[in-house]
Amino acid sequence: MNSNKPEDSVAIDVQSVTKIFKGETEVLALDDVSVQVRENEFFTLLGPSGCGKTTLLRLIAGFEHPTDGRIKLHGSDISLLPPNKRPVNTVFQNYALFPHMTVAGNIEFGLEMMGQAKAERSATVDRMLALVQMEELKNRRITEISGGQQQRVALARALAPHPKVLLLDEPLSALDLKLRKEMQIELKRLQHETGITFVFVTHDQEEALTMSDRVAVMSAGKILQVGSPRDIYDHPTDRFVANFIGESNFLNAELTKVSKGKGMIKLASGAELDASLPSDAPAVGPVSILIRPEHSQLTKRSSKAPLSGSIDNIVYFGTDTHFHITLETSEAFTVRTQNKPGFEGAFQIGDQVSLTIEPDAVQVLKD
Amino acid sequence: MTQQNSSPSMKTAKEVEEFARRQDTKNRLLLASPAILIITLFAAGPLLIVVLYSFLTAGDYGNVKWIFSTDGWFSVFMQRDIFDDTLQIADAHVSIFWRSIKLSLLTTVLTAAFGIPTAYFIATRPLSQRNLWLFLITVPFWTNLLVRTIAVMELIRGEGVINNVLRWAHIIDDPIQMMFTDFAIAFGMTYVYLPLMVLPVYASIEKLDFRLVEAAYDLYANRWKCFWRVILPIVKPGMIAGSILVFVPSLGAYITPRVLGGGKNLMFGNLIELQFGQGRNWPLGAALSISLMVLVMVALLYYVKVSGGDDNNEHR
């Protein structure tokens, strides 16, 4: 979408990278992956375990080298540089803090290895401690602080050398829910304050949506879609992406018209609706479409409605209620409505209902 | 439950609890009694006897006379000149102490030099292979120490394997004299005590989280810095344990210096044996034994202090 941005705003340029792990059986971890991470953005690699997201991160960090393809950092090829020669730092999943050093010692380590003078180092350490609000624990041993505090030290340690890019490998997965929410906000703040490009790996879709400027959804060694969280959520172009992020209703429909990136689809009921198309638009004919559960509303039964069916089940979730509906085409469909105080809702299990669909809610999928 | 407020039942409950606690203490003592008995009989007891003997007079044909004397302790460090009876430092003893310490330190350094890379090698093998390697390391342990020492002798003696191979290859013409030297003792002890270094070092390397190594590389450390600043401090406890396990028995080694050192290169253990055997001076032997023990304890305390102190100046 923004591919016409100037070249110098690209921080990391991954160019058709393939990674094969050779062992007893060869494992194709990354299959011809190309992606660009822009400068100063919070970029997230999202996918289930084993999708290759961590491998891609390790390739950028230098712990692995690509079997094929190139990785560029601000235009220069770093594919074969060892990790200690790359201006890139990592926050590890288990933090990997040095257990025999203090909090300050851990943060200072990278600066010392870079050969900074002592005075400069301690100034940076103090600045980093302030940044992650850990001043009081400066001289504590790593074994004496909590998991959340270790997380902050790991961040401070990786940020201290002021890397061009900070890589974060599922850093929040070991924290409990409350702490995780706090750290999500904290990370966003740190990224904003330091102006460093963040590449964040997670399998948690909510984390990806709330924190990222852009998200790349990965599966089976490939990047399926790259876009803003809103883009990815509202307009997933792939069934996997739609399923992985949020809840989805998939329906069969017929694509009747394609013009200027927009399309028209026809449902089984005969109703015609505007639809968003994936980038490589499919030909006119039968397609799968996606409608998010909250982009549809229940109404009284009407013959003019695009979709009709009967309510199978109603599930109360506190903030909202899910209505499970079997359509006349016998496809399953879920509608999510937000609950209002003191209002039980007008629909019962077994009711015959119709559905309205909000404008711009229909997305045509690639498959 | 129905009698909750009545005092008799409360009292009973308290008594039961009290009884159970007493019973518990009694049972614990009872359970520990075999261990206490063994420690008293076989560890503390003999030690006390040795201390006692060191303060008695030597008997004419070995054994002791029950007369208090500090002669044993006196002769550990001092001796009277045979001709004019002047007091001298017992330089024969001092040189044996010194040789023992020197050779034990050398053995510790050599086992570390060979053992640490070996332990690293084993710890980085796939899990399925490690047990086999560890097994191979411990195999010599199942063989009698004397037999193993004689095997070493077979290697290094004048007509031994090493000399024969070197002569066959025309690298040397005359056999190198290796037997009955300090080198022979250090070589033999290094061979004998190597597993005692490998095993604890292996255990600590195996526990090392290799992600810490990655973290060090990520933070701009080169290989050397990574080893020196991250791997070594974490593996250090294993190396300390290994060093103690090698140094302590080396200091008291008896068979190896006896076989490989011949008669003239005595070590502490041989000196003690001499007093209880040919020397027929049990009090001196006892005093030497205790001196050795004190020496080991001082060395250990110093070692623990030095290695413990390191941690605090790790990062000022």
Side-chain angles (χ1 to χ4, degrees):
Chain A
M1 258 163 256
N2 295 314
S3 53
N4 52 359
K5 279 227 172 185
E7 178 72 22
D8 62 1
S9 75
V10 174
I12 295 173
D13 193 358
V14 177
Q15 299 176 336
S16 6
V17 162
T18 297
K19 178 67 186 175
I20 297 168
F21 286 106
K22 294 195 172 70
E24 281 167 33
T25 52
E26 287 198 350
V27 178
L28 179 62
L30 289 175
D31 183 5
D32 194 19
V33 166
S34 294
V35 68
Q36 293 189 334
V37 179
R38 296 182 199 131
E39 203 163 337
N40 295 347
E41 80 173 336
F42 197 120
F43 190 87
T44 298
L45 296 168
L46 173 67
S49 60
C51 71
K53 57 189 191 299
T54 297
T55 303
L56 183 52
L57 197 79
R58 290 175 61 81
L59 282 167
I60 300 171
F63 301 131
E64 312 282 352
H65 298 298
T67 310
D68 201 12
R70 284 195 299 179
I71 297 171
K72 286 184 169 182
L73 179 72
H74 290 289
S76 57
D77 191 343
I78 58 163
S79 314
L80 298 174
L81 283 183
N84 55 344
K85 299 267 159 58
R86 301 184 184 203
V88 169
N89 290 135
T90 308
V91 177
F92 293 86
Q93 186 169 10
N94 66 336
Y95 317 141
L97 294 171
F98 304 125
H100 55 293
M101 296 181 195
T102 60
V103 167
N106 267 275
I107 299 173
E108 197 183 345
F109 186 84
L111 304 169
E112 201 184 328
M113 294 301 120
M114 290 167 89
Q116 263 189 21
K118 179 75 196 166
E120 200 183 338
R121 269 171 10 215
S122 37
T124 311
V125 168
D126 288 340
R127 207 151 34 78
M128 286 301 136
L129 284 166
L131 189 68
V132 296
Q133 294 148 24
M134 291 276 294
E135 292 103 319
E136 280 108 79
L137 301 176
K138 182 177 178 180
N139 294 317
R140 287 283 191 88
R141 307 201 123 234
I142 291 307
T143 43
E144 292 167 355
I145 60 175
S146 71
Q149 289 165 339
Q150 290 187 11
Q151 167 73 81
R152 285 166 188 270
V153 177
L155 269 168
R157 182 179 73 172
L159 284 170
H162 203 86
K164 294 246 168 59
V165 176
L166 185 74
L167 307 173
L168 303 105
D169 185 8
E170 306 213 25
L172 307 183
S173 60
L175 303 179
D176 61 52
L177 186 65
K178 191 166 165 285
L179 215 50
R180 194 153 69 219
K181 299 265 184 203
E182 275 176 34
M183 282 311 291
Q184 286 177 10
I185 297 164
E186 185 81 7
L187 276 178
K188 198 68 190 144
R189 177 182 70 86
L190 285 174
Q191 197 258 332
H192 190 75
E193 280 182 22
T194 56
I196 292 172
T197 309
F198 278 31
V199 179
F200 185 86
V201 159
T202 184
H203 62 267
D204 184 322
Q205 46 133 329
E206 188 198 301
E207 232 165 67
L209 294 182
T210 52
M211 298 164 75
S212 320
D213 294 319
R214 286 195 308 150
V215 180
V217 184
M218 295 185 68
S219 170
K222 280 182 178 296
I223 290 182
L224 299 179
Q225 191 174 357
V226 183
S228 69
R230 192 168 281 277
D231 240 15
I232 298 271
Y233 184 82
D234 285 346
H235 302 294
T237 57
D238 187 286
R239 189 179 286 260
F240 179 89
V241 176
N243 249 331
F244 195 73
I245 299 166
E247 283 166 72
S248 313
N249 293 305
F250 298 111
L251 297 175
N252 293 316
E254 198 187 331
L255 187 60
T256 55
K257 208 168 77 183
V258 177
S259 69
K260 291 175 197 154
K262 278 285 176 186
M264 180 80 87
I265 55 110
K266 194 169 156 192
L267 292 169
S269 63
E272 292 205 309
L273 294 167
D274 286 330
S276 305
L277 296 175
S279 49
D280 38 347
V284 167
V287 288
S288 294
I289 61 161
L290 161 93
I291 300 166
R292 295 288 187 189
E294 67 278 17
H295 294 163
S296 176
Q297 293 296 326
L298 289 179
T299 60
K300 292 233 169 57
R301 186 73 179 220
S302 139
S303 57
K304 278 178 260 170
L307 297 167
S308 297
S310 63
I311 301 178
D312 284 343
N313 201 4
I314 301 174
V315 185
Y316 176 74
F317 274 93
T319 54
D320 44 36
T321 302
H322 292 193
F323 295 88
H324 297 280
I325 291 153
T326 303
L327 299 177
E328 282 167 342
T329 54
S330 67
E331 289 165 305
F333 197 98
T334 304
V335 175
R336 185 195 300 172
T337 50
Q338 198 162 12
N339 291 324
K340 293 175 178 66
F343 182 69
E344 280 250 359
F347 300 100
Q348 311 283 321
I349 293 175
D351 282 0
Q352 296 291 317
V353 289
S354 285
L355 306 174
T356 60
I357 295 163
E358 281 164 22
D360 201 29
V362 179
Q363 172 69 40
V364 175
L365 300 176
K366 273 180 190 165
D367 55 287
Chain B
M1 291 297 181
T2 48
Q3 295 182 330
Q4 236 169 10
N5 297 321
S6 70
S7 58
S9 82
M10 290 287 280
K11 209 172 186 178
T12 316
K14 231 175 213 170
E15 275 168 5
V16 167
E17 208 175 281
E18 186 66 25
F19 178 75
R21 194 182 304 133
R22 253 179 307 173
Q23 200 66 11
D24 194 33
T25 317
K26 216 164 131 193
N27 282 346
R28 269 190 228 171
L29 263 180
L30 201 67
L31 277 173
S33 60
I36 292 171
L37 196 72
I38 286 173
I39 289 170
T40 317
L41 270 183
F42 299 113
L47 202 60
L48 284 174
I49 293 173
V50 174
V51 172
L52 183 66
Y53 273 25
S54 73
F55 287 105
L56 295 176
T57 309
D60 296 331
Y61 306 100
N63 215 328
V64 284
K65 287 190 213 148
W66 287 84
I67 305 163
F68 175 81
S69 158
T70 52
D71 278 358
W73 281 101
F74 180 79
S75 343
V76 170
F77 301 105
M78 306 299 264
Q79 64 186 24
R80 282 188 197 283
D81 194 282
I82 332 171
F83 302 109
D84 56 13
D85 248 21
T86 49
L87 274 180
Q88 290 177 323
I89 289 188
D91 45 5
H93 289 178
V94 171
S95 76
I96 290 172
F97 291 175
W98 173 236
R99 176 186 294 115
S100 295
I101 293 170
K102 195 178 66 183
L103 287 181
S104 301
L105 284 176
L106 182 63
T107 304
T108 310
V109 170
L110 285 174
T111 49
F114 290 112
I116 292 168
T118 310
Y120 184 88
F121 173 81
I122 298 174
T124 50
R125 289 312 94 193
L127 204 58
S128 53
Q129 287 179 23
R130 283 184 214 164
N131 280 339
L132 178 68
W133 287 108
L134 286 178
F135 170 76
L136 290 175
I137 286 288
T138 48
V139 161
F141 250 33
W142 304 351
T143 317
N144 182 288
L145 176 59
L146 187 59
V147 174
R148 275 185 289 159
T149 309
I150 288 169
V152 171
M153 189 173 86
E154 204 47 44
L155 268 181
I156 62 175
R157 71 192 173 93
E159 293 293 316
V161 176
I162 293 176
N163 273 321
N164 280 346
V165 167
L166 288 178
R167 267 192 297 187
W168 174 80
H170 295 294
I171 295 170
I172 53 167
D173 295 324
D174 297 313
I176 303 170
Q177 173 64 37
M178 288 182 282
M179 276 304 284
F180 311 131
T181 60
D182 283 357
F183 163 80
I185 300 176
F187 182 88
M189 291 202 300
T190 302
Y191 164 66
V192 167
Y193 295 126
L194 189 63
L196 295 178
M197 178 65 80
V198 172
L199 295 177
V201 174
Y202 162 78
S204 63
I205 295 178
E206 196 206 17
K207 271 187 289 175
L208 175 74
D209 185 351
F210 277 88
R211 284 172 292 197
L212 294 178
V213 176
E214 282 190 347
Y217 285 140
D218 188 60
L219 292 162
Y220 314 108
N222 54 30
R223 272 167 192 279
W224 175 245
K225 284 272 173 57
C226 174
F227 174 77
W228 203 244
R229 293 292 309 278
V230 174
I231 298 178
L232 199 65
I234 295 173
V235 174
K236 205 166 63 179
M239 288 166 52
I240 290 173
S243 302
I244 290 172
L245 284 178
V246 171
F247 182 76
V248 171
S250 298
L251 208 53
Y254 166 65
I255 291 184
T256 310
R258 175 79 186 262
V259 174
L260 300 176
K264 58 182 192 337
N265 294 327
L266 288 185
M267 276 180 68
F268 222 128
N270 310 102
L271 183 62
I272 293 169
E273 188 261 353
L274 201 61
Q275 306 313 319
F276 284 97
Q278 292 159 293
R280 284 184 292 199
N281 192 347
W282 288 20
L284 175 58
L288 284 169
S289 301
I290 292 163
S291 307
L292 174 62
M293 207 174 76
V294 170
L295 193 66
V296 167
M297 271 158 67
V298 168
L300 283 187
L301 282 176
Y302 175 75
Y303 205 18
V304 167
K305 195 164 168 251
V306 165
S307 51
D310 247 25
D311 275 6
N312 298 331
N313 342 331
E314 192 78 29
H315 254 279
R316 278 143 296 168

